[in-house]
Amino acid sequence: MQIDFHYYATYCAAIIAGYSHEDSRDIAYSAQFVDCCSRSFLSGIDAPAHAATTQLQLELMEARTDIIGLQDITRIWASFHFLPGDLYADPDRKCSRVYKSKYRLICQPNGQLLVDTVELAKGKGVQAIGLAMHVLADTWAHRNFAGTPSLVINNMGKDLSELVPCDEGGSWKPIKFNHNPGDVDDPSIGKYTSSIYVGSENSIMNLGHGRAGHLPDYSWARYRYMPAWGDYREIIKDNPTDYMNAFYQLIYALKYLKGDISSFETGHYDYDAIAEYKDEIEGMFLKRQIDSSSDWKSFGEKLSGHEIEDFDTNEYQKEYISADEADKDDTFLGKFILAALRQKSMVTNRIFNSGNLVAGISVDFRSKGLKGIKAFFKLVTDSEKDTEKEARDD
Amino acid sequence: MEAKDRSVELEDRNRPEEIQERKYRDILRVVGTGTIIFGVWTLFKAGSLVMIGKDQYMPIMKSYMIDSGAAWKEWYFYVFLVMLLVVLSFEFLFKAFVGWAAISEGKGKKRTFLYIAIAIILIWGSVGTIAGIIVGDAATEIDYTGVVRAPWETSIIEITSMILMAELVYAGVKLRQLRRKEKKALKAGSAKKAEVENAN
């Protein structure tokens, strides 16, 4: 998904769920920030690089694709953008262990990891909520792709067609991608870009939905294709429906995190909350445009009665840089960094415990002692603080 | 939103026969491309024959003919070279045609059985070459492809080519069987429909 959903639509969902304008804005900011918090950004503010929630194109170009590099890439993308749907799924046919381990990383909505992600954000502040909402939303948009470079999972057949609306309802038109990364998509003439085909299994070009270009990120797109893992089965990706479900589920999750609902369960959507806005929201999802930020912004401002500030990646940089070392974790970015480390640690741990080494090894600090990546020590001290706080409250 | 309509279409496009057809068409596209590449390899052999033929092969041919008691004239070699090039050209053309037809059928166009028949002939050609290498006859010192004393390399290439052709033939035949089955089912379906209409 793009800024139109992660920032503006998340803001709208938070307002509908009953959050204040300020909280909704912080949640939306954090949700969008997941797409901006790269190693380059973090090194610029002297923050832990392991809290990176994304990798820029330039970073990916330089990324290693040996086993260590692949694990590093997978930890980021599987934790924040392609949350696995079922870590114990089995392919229909006999396959190698390596194939199975990648197959199990395929992103699907309503998985157990989604429950874990939302519950992890409970009581951890608006930054954690925003991060969890980004992950939730992406499980719908990025479904059927895996957050690891893999040709045999993420490649698509050549027969890809889009359902283009017309007077008779719709007609299927073949899509032919062009591979110029500098080119801009033009849906009006069916012009789309995607990553170039590279026959190497672990090429960066085969990460996530690169082979499908930006199609999964367009809320109006409906297309038919054969995923490489599908054994020649065709899938129809109905983005308007998926985005609508994402929005319903976002509201439900936000209400749970606010305390209005006692538990978060998969397959639950808050249909009633947007009954009066359904047509307007559907209209925004169906409108064929590259970026629907302005429509969502107007809608959000109408809902809240407040102006929504434009997203600025550097908004909280100064606060973080100027804070003392001991106070950094209490700044906006500090809280986001903690949330990111928590999420990454949780997902990597779950993947490792399922017997899958694609995301590397996960060490439980509390039981095994302080071994491993130093940046994650913060989580131990943070959880100790939580335990102390709970003891005081009792 | 109308997601339900799309699901119905999805079921229709994911019947076992549809999935099989996509699989065989994909195989034809891939092996068709491979066949054309093997055809280009044949051109490469022809080219190398022309470039180094006189220096490498003429002495061998001369000694062979003299040893067997036949007369030797230099122009014999050039006649032999032209014949070899003609054979190689035919081989290239056959492979190119088979590859093109397979790719075309893989893309959904209907092709006659001719390319499959030629593929079967090419399989026999590969079998013959490999048999000649196994037998180890001195006569195959220069075989019809002009390869001299390279039995392992030749075997690997010929076996690979044979497997490719076999896969092409298999996919082509299976695709035709599927289409015949579909035609029969359609005929039976429309006959039943007509019966019901007549009864009404």
Side-chain angles (χ1 to χ4, degrees):
Chain A
M1 285 181 174
Q2 304 175 122
I3 188 170
D4 49 12
F5 195 96
H6 283 312
Y7 186 58
Y8 293 106
T10 303
Y11 173 88
C12 297
I15 293 286
I16 293 171
Y19 287 83
S20 65
H21 161 71
E22 291 74 22
D23 280 349
S24 299
R25 211 252 150 179
D26 286 344
I27 289 169
Y29 184 94
S30 303
Q32 173 57 23
F33 193 66
V34 176
D35 277 343
C36 307
C37 185
S38 62
R39 283 204 171 114
S40 310
F41 176 87
L42 290 169
S43 93
I45 59 170
D46 204 24
H50 288 283
T53 57
T54 191
Q55 287 175 293
L56 303 175
Q57 264 192 342
L58 286 173
E59 289 172 357
L60 282 171
M61 297 296 280
E62 290 180 348
R64 291 157 56 182
T65 51
D66 55 13
I67 188 162
I68 306 293
L70 289 173
Q71 287 172 351
D72 184 47
I73 292 167
T74 305
R75 275 196 288 267
I76 293 175
W77 292 91
S79 300
F80 300 106
H81 305 278
F82 295 89
L83 199 69
D86 183 357
L87 288 174
Y88 300 90
D90 279 322
D92 291 334
R93 55 183 163 93
K94 242 181 163 179
C95 60
S96 68
R97 200 170 152 206
V98 172
Y99 179 86
K100 197 189 275 192
S101 62
K102 292 179 185 182
Y103 182 86
R104 287 175 168 177
L105 291 188
I106 293 174
C107 174
Q108 293 291 357
N110 290 312
Q112 179 56 42
L113 271 174
L114 177 67
V115 177
D116 296 340
T117 297
V118 173
E119 285 178 352
L120 192 66
K122 181 99 173 156
K124 298 285 194 298
V126 289
Q127 294 81 7
I129 293 174
L131 189 144
M133 294 307 102
H134 180 110
V135 176
L136 186 157
D138 273 353
T139 60
W140 288 95
H142 297 169
R143 63 192 304 186
N144 304 321
F145 294 98
T148 189
S150 171
L151 178 72
V152 295
I153 299 291
N154 292 327
N155 194 28
M156 300 164 68
K158 287 186 182 145
D159 303 320
L160 177 73
S161 28
E162 186 196 4
L163 184 65
V164 178
C166 63
D167 293 333
E168 294 85 36
S171 66
W172 292 100
K173 282 201 172 139
I175 293 176
K176 204 169 173 187
F177 286 113
N178 91 66
H179 306 297
N180 180 355
D183 237 344
V184 175
D185 290 356
D186 188 350
S188 61
I189 53 170
K191 184 178 150 203
Y192 302 105
T193 53
S194 79
S195 65
I196 200 165
Y197 174 80
V198 173
S200 163
E201 164 63 9
N202 296 325
S203 165
I204 291 296
M205 297 295 162
N206 299 322
L207 171 65
H209 64 77
R211 296 289 295 135
H214 295 290
L215 280 177
D217 293 332
Y218 296 144
S219 62
W220 40 263
R222 284 186 173 116
Y223 49 98
R224 193 171 67 196
Y225 69 103
M226 272 193 304
W229 54 264
D231 281 336
Y232 297 97
R233 276 191 299 269
E234 273 191 350
I235 283 178
I236 288 181
K237 185 73 169 59
D238 189 340
N239 280 358
T241 307
D242 283 345
Y243 274 58
M244 206 64 189
N245 285 336
F247 194 72
Y248 289 136
Q249 197 172 49
L250 220 62
I251 297 170
Y252 168 70
L254 284 163
K255 283 186 174 177
Y256 160 73
L257 290 165
K258 193 166 163 276
D260 295 349
I261 299 171
S262 56
S263 67
F264 177 81
E265 289 166 28
T266 55
H268 283 243
Y269 313 95
D270 197 340
Y271 296 113
D272 298 329
I274 69 157
E276 63 180 290
Y277 313 112
K278 191 167 180 256
D279 291 338
E280 196 171 350
I281 293 172
E282 264 182 30
M284 284 190 286
F285 282 138
L286 287 168
K287 196 171 172 187
R288 286 174 73 87
Q289 54 187 350
I290 301 284
D291 186 355
S292 37
S293 293
S294 55
D295 293 340
W296 278 103
K297 186 176 177 182
S298 311
F299 180 63
E301 286 171 349
K302 190 176 81 178
L303 277 177
S304 66
H306 290 91
E307 193 193 335
I308 306 172
E309 298 97 324
D310 290 341
F311 179 81
D312 176 12
T313 313
N314 303 321
E315 189 170 332
Y316 296 102
Q317 252 188 345
K318 210 174 168 182
E319 184 200 16
Y320 187 84
I321 293 169
S322 56
D324 293 331
E325 202 58 46
D327 299 328
K328 277 199 186 322
D329 287 350
D330 296 324
T331 61
F332 188 99
L333 285 184
K335 289 176 187 168
F336 180 89
I337 285 167
L338 271 173
L341 289 170
R342 236 181 262 123
Q343 172 70 9
K344 195 174 178 186
S345 176
M346 184 273 290
V347 175
T348 308
N349 184 259
R350 295 283 189 276
I351 294 173
F352 175 68
N353 285 340
S354 72
N356 194 334
L357 288 174
V358 178
I361 294 169
S362 173
V363 173
D364 188 342
F365 287 148
R366 285 179 203 84
S367 58
K368 306 278 183 201
L370 295 177
K371 293 175 200 152
I373 298 169
K374 208 169 154 188
F376 291 89
F377 293 1
K378 275 184 187 296
L379 298 181
V380 176
T381 49
D382 187 58
S383 81
E384 279 166 3
K385 270 189 217 166
D386 284 343
T387 317
E388 273 172 31
K389 191 175 173 238
E390 273 166 29
R392 263 186 272 120
D393 290 342
D394 289 338
Chain B
M1 292 184 170
E2 319 104 54
K4 277 186 188 158
D5 297 336
R6 302 283 92 80
S7 303
V8 165
E9 191 170 8
L10 194 63
E11 278 163 27
D12 193 44
R13 290 184 67 85
N14 280 333
R15 287 178 296 119
E17 297 81 19
E18 292 268 350
I19 292 172
Q20 297 265 29
E21 191 178 323
R22 266 180 239 134
K23 180 180 165 186
Y24 294 131
R25 288 207 277 121
D26 196 41
I27 290 173
L28 283 174
R29 272 198 287 230
V30 171
V31 297
T33 310
T35 306
I36 292 175
I37 292 169
F38 271 98
V40 170
W41 168 248
T42 308
L43 282 181
F44 173 75
K45 281 194 296 192
S48 64
L49 200 63
V50 167
M51 278 173 16
I52 61 169
K54 190 177 173 190
D55 297 331
Q56 293 285 320
Y57 302 139
M58 200 194 286
I60 297 171
M61 195 176 166
K62 183 179 175 182
S63 71
Y64 181 72
M65 289 193 74
I66 291 169
D67 288 348
S68 57
W72 164 256
K73 292 229 165 58
E74 198 172 298
W75 59 265
Y76 289 173
F77 170 74
Y78 293 107
V79 169
F80 169 73
L81 187 67
V82 166
M83 282 164 56
L84 216 51
L85 287 174
V86 166
V87 169
L88 286 174
S89 307
F90 270 108
E91 187 185 333
F92 165 71
L93 286 170
F94 282 154
K95 283 187 171 160
F97 170 72
V98 166
W100 165 81
I103 292 171
S104 185
E105 185 138 45
K107 285 183 179 171
K109 298 200 173 96
K110 285 218 173 96
R111 291 281 164 238
T112 64
F113 195 77
L114 178 64
Y115 81 93
I116 297 175
I118 295 174
I120 294 171
I121 294 168
L122 288 170
I123 292 173
W124 276 115
S126 298
V127 168
T129 309
I130 294 166
I133 290 165
I134 291 169
V135 163
D137 197 325
T140 61
E141 203 164 302
I142 306 171
D143 64 12
Y144 83 99
T145 63
V147 174
V148 176
R149 283 193 219 118
W152 288 114
E153 294 86 339
T154 312
S155 307
I156 289 167
I157 291 171
E158 289 302 327
I159 289 170
T160 311
S161 177
M162 202 169 69
I163 292 169
L164 214 65
M165 291 294 155
E167 221 176 324
L168 189 149
V169 167
Y170 174 77
V173 165
K174 285 302 245 184
L175 199 60
R176 274 158 177 74
Q177 282 176 353
L178 270 172
R179 284 199 193 126
R180 237 175 282 138
K181 207 173 159 186
E182 233 172 87
K183 236 182 185 171
K184 263 189 196 162
L186 265 167
K187 257 187 186 163
S190 40
K192 210 174 180 181
K193 201 177 171 186
E195 219 178 276
V196 166
E197 278 171 7
N198 285 339
N200 289 342

